[in-house]
Amino acid sequence: QVQLVESGGGLAQAGGSLRLSCVASGRTFGSYAMGWFRQAPGKEREFVATISGSGGSTYYAASVKGRFTISRDNARNTVYLQMSSLKPEDTAVYYCAAKMGSGGAFRLNAYDYWGQGTQVTVSS
């Protein structure tokens, strides 16, 4: 069982930056691929970014590519999402997720564990 706890959400102005963190329990963090997803009010949860277990491979949704960066520190059991050039349409609850197996994925149903989410609000 893996428990995930997100932090770092909050209010930002358009054009600003935020960094989200997600800390995982357990001693085999490097064997899990990690992903970030988001869900805006009235919309379905959508893929944002994923990173392989080693951190050597990343993949982004087209809507955030070039603005967001996913990274991980396996020694700290932590995955990050650095968000820059924020837009009001980035407003959502952001979730981190863990997938058994080191390869990243963009499908929600590929992930085995989910955090509770952290709210990000971007004002115009």
Side-chain angles (χ1 to χ4, degrees), residues 25-40:
S25 64
R27 291 175 285 183
T28 58
F29 182 65
S31 64
Y32 290 85
M34 300 297 294
W36 285 98
F37 293 78
R38 66 187 182 185
Q39 187 166 17

Side-chain angles (χ1 to χ4, degrees), residues 49-79:
T50 185
I51 188 167
S52 61
S54 67
S57 178
T58 58
Y59 185 76
Y60 298 90
S63 59
V64 306
K65 193 172 184 179
R67 300 188 297 122
F68 291 9
T69 302
I70 188 171
S71 62
R72 66 190 297 160
D73 183 341
N74 286 352
R76 297 179 183 271
N77 279 21
T78 302
V79 62

Side-chain angles (χ1 to χ4, degrees), residues 5-16:
V5 180
E6 301 98 335
S7 62
L11 178 64
Q13 290 189 332

Side-chain angles (χ1 to χ4, degrees), residues 18-117:
L18 283 173
R19 188 177 80 155
L20 306 183
S21 300
C22 173
V23 180
S25 64
R27 291 175 285 183
T28 58
F29 182 65
S31 64
Y32 290 85
M34 300 297 294
W36 285 98
F37 293 78
R38 66 187 182 185
Q39 187 166 17
K43 295 188 176 181
E44 294 185 350
R45 193 170 299 188
E46 64 176 8
F47 168 76
V48 175
T50 185
I51 188 167
S52 61
S54 67
S57 178
T58 58
Y59 185 76
Y60 298 90
S63 59
V64 306
K65 193 172 184 179
R67 300 188 297 122
F68 291 9
T69 302
I70 188 171
S71 62
R72 66 190 297 160
D73 183 341
N74 286 352
R76 297 179 183 271
N77 279 21
T78 302
V79 62
Y80 304 98
L81 185 68
Q82 177 68 48
M83 305 185 294
S84 303
S85 301
L86 284 163
K87 304 175 181 180
E89 51 263 43
D90 294 318
T91 295
V93 177
Y94 283 71
Y95 299 89
C96 74
K99 168 188 169 290
M100 289 186 287
S102 60
F106 59 87
R107 292 177 292 108
L108 273 73
N109 61 9
Y111 288 81
D112 302 288
Y113 304 100
W114 292 83
Q116 293 300 306

